[in-house]
Amino acid sequence: MSSIPVDRSPDSTLAFLRDGYRFIGDRCDRYGSDIFQTRLLLVPTICLRGRPAAELFYDNDRFRRRGAMPMRGQRTLTGVGGVQGLDDAQHRVRKAMLMSIMTPAAIRQLGQLFDDEWRARIPSWERSGPAVLYDEVARMLTRAVCAWAGVPLADSDVARWTAELHAMIEASAVLGPRHWRGRLARRRAERWAGEVVDRARAGALPAPEGSALRVIAEHRDDRDRPLPRRIAAVELLNVLRPTVAVDRFVVFAALALHDHPQWRERVRGDEPATETFVQEVRRYYPFFSVAAARVRRSFEWAGHHFPQGRRVLLDLYGTNHHPELWPGPEQFRPDRFVGWRGDPFTLVPQGGGDHLTGHRCAGEWITVELMKRAVTNLTTTISYRVPPQDLALSLRRLPALPPSGFLIDGVRRIA
Ligand code: HEM
């Protein structure tokens, strides 16, 4: 049996925070191995990247999720007790609940609501000076997803809840004030979502059939019990928060259109080209860096020993940029997705494997739909200028975003 290369440092937590998206990839390159071992928060951790690693990582018989994500991530990003940390029957039943919301018709409906928000906003962009696309899209998505999910939201509350949802997303991989702001935001948001669930259960809020609120409020778990109010709130936020997070991908798509203007012409009114463009945006730009699991029972893989209970991180960013999977990985080339057959273990910005039986992102189809709508809107419903601004994308900042949030100016309706 070959031993797993061991990172030299006694604990790599600070390096993990400092090196950001390149933490695993840099070390894999250094050791000439797609697997190495380190300590993070003093816990021995095996880091992996690449297709065989992704296939291994999404094998439910070998890995579990309970106890995999550090509490600091649960108390900000995901919440405690949500689908992310469940295994086996509990996970299957909870995940089936979430996936039941994601029908093609429902996804189209959410896309339409987003389009409506976009069109409604154009006159104000035409009137005002520069607008920050990130903030604009965030508020549109908050409105759209709340309306779609059956969650009432007064106009006066849109900015506030958008900020709270953002704060949760910003907080998990940082120390200091940004982290504590995220914890506070989660406490407030769970209280808010819990009250909404209470009202739906009491019949005081008529949530439409099939809406996220109705499905979650009425859900019964693997032992036929309703979800406790707090857990129902966590799952409702598992729909709202990441839908608003699609704003980052929209900014990345705008950045790609700006940096590769030839694609503006290619995607305009061309659905297949828009799809390849969106897939390349999801591959190329950095969003979540890793996914975490724990070894269920000891096993050997590729000559390496994985001891029971060991924490394992799959490098999502590094797999999306693996040179053996993606020739010229640091080039933005949507054409690589022409005729792509959809391997579940190579394009993993939202996890890999199967949506229903595994932990792959429940909202992947929603994400692609919303991104396609945004790209279509950016290329066919408005024209705009991109004024001078700081668009540098740092791979050290988790989650990444250009500092300016992508300013647009001189907006005109063209359709
Ligand atoms: C904004 C773009 C998004 C990104 C980059 C993203 C990324 C991810 C990642 C990396 C995972 C974890 C995979 C793993 O643990 O192996 C995940 C899980 C999840 N995502 Fe997303 N996601 C996005 C959008 C969405 C949307 C729009 C929704 C819902 C409407 C959603 C709901 C979920 C849920 C519920 C899980 C947990 C699935 C499970 O544990 O079985 N995500 N996502």
Side-chain angles (χ1 to χ4, degrees), residues 57-58 65 83-84 91 95 98 102 238-239 242-243 245-246 249 287-288 291 316 349-351 358-363 366-367:
F57 183 85
Y58 285 99
R65 294 305 179 99
V83 65
Q84 289 91 342
H91 178 259
K95 189 68 177 284
L98 287 166
M102 313 295 170
N238 261 340
V239 174
T243 303
V246 175
F249 269 151
F287 206 127
F288 285 107
L316 302 175
Q350 298 180 240
H359 284 271
R360 191 184 187 111
C361 175
I366 284 185
T367 306

Side-chain angles (χ1 to χ4, degrees), residues 269-282:
D270 184 334
E271 208 273 337
T274 305
E275 172 105 23
T276 59
F277 180 83
V278 161
Q279 296 297 39
E280 180 68 343
V281 169
R282 295 199 311 133

Side-chain angles (χ1 to χ4, degrees), residues 210-354:
S211 65
L213 175 58
R214 175 90 168 259
V215 168
I216 292 167
E218 292 181 353
H219 176 71
R220 305 195 74 83
D221 71 8
D222 57 312
R223 296 204 235 151
D224 200 30
R225 297 167 307 192
L227 292 176
R229 171 186 199 265
R230 198 189 59 75
I231 304 291
V234 166
E235 297 302 5
L236 188 54
L237 292 174
N238 261 340
V239 174
L240 305 186
R241 181 198 69 255
T243 303
V244 174
V246 175
D247 53 9
R248 272 198 152 67
F249 269 151
V250 173
V251 166
F252 294 152
L255 194 55
L257 288 171
H258 179 61
D259 287 343
H260 310 279
Q262 70 280 18
W263 274 93
R264 180 170 281 284
E265 300 310 315
R266 293 271 306 271
V267 298
R268 191 173 284 143
D270 184 334
E271 208 273 337
T274 305
E275 172 105 23
T276 59
F277 180 83
V278 161
Q279 296 297 39
E280 180 68 343
V281 169
R282 295 199 311 133
R283 182 198 73 80
Y284 179 82
Y285 289 94
F287 206 127
F288 285 107
S289 60
V290 297
R294 279 190 190 267
V295 175
R296 270 184 198 262
R297 278 176 298 279
S298 303
F299 65 86
E300 316 299 328
W301 179 79
H304 300 302
H305 180 64
F306 284 66
Q308 179 167 347
R310 181 64 38 96
R311 188 163 66 198
V312 174
L313 296 184
L314 176 69
D315 184 1
L316 302 175
Y317 179 79
T319 302
N320 287 338
H321 286 254
H322 200 296
E324 283 167 21
L325 303 176
W326 310 102
E330 304 312 329
Q331 292 161 14
F332 183 83
R333 293 203 324 235
D335 281 336
R336 66 174 89 238
F337 285 102
V338 173
W340 188 63
R341 304 245 287 266
D343 187 321
F345 301 110
T346 54
L347 178 67
V348 292
Q350 298 180 240
D354 183 65

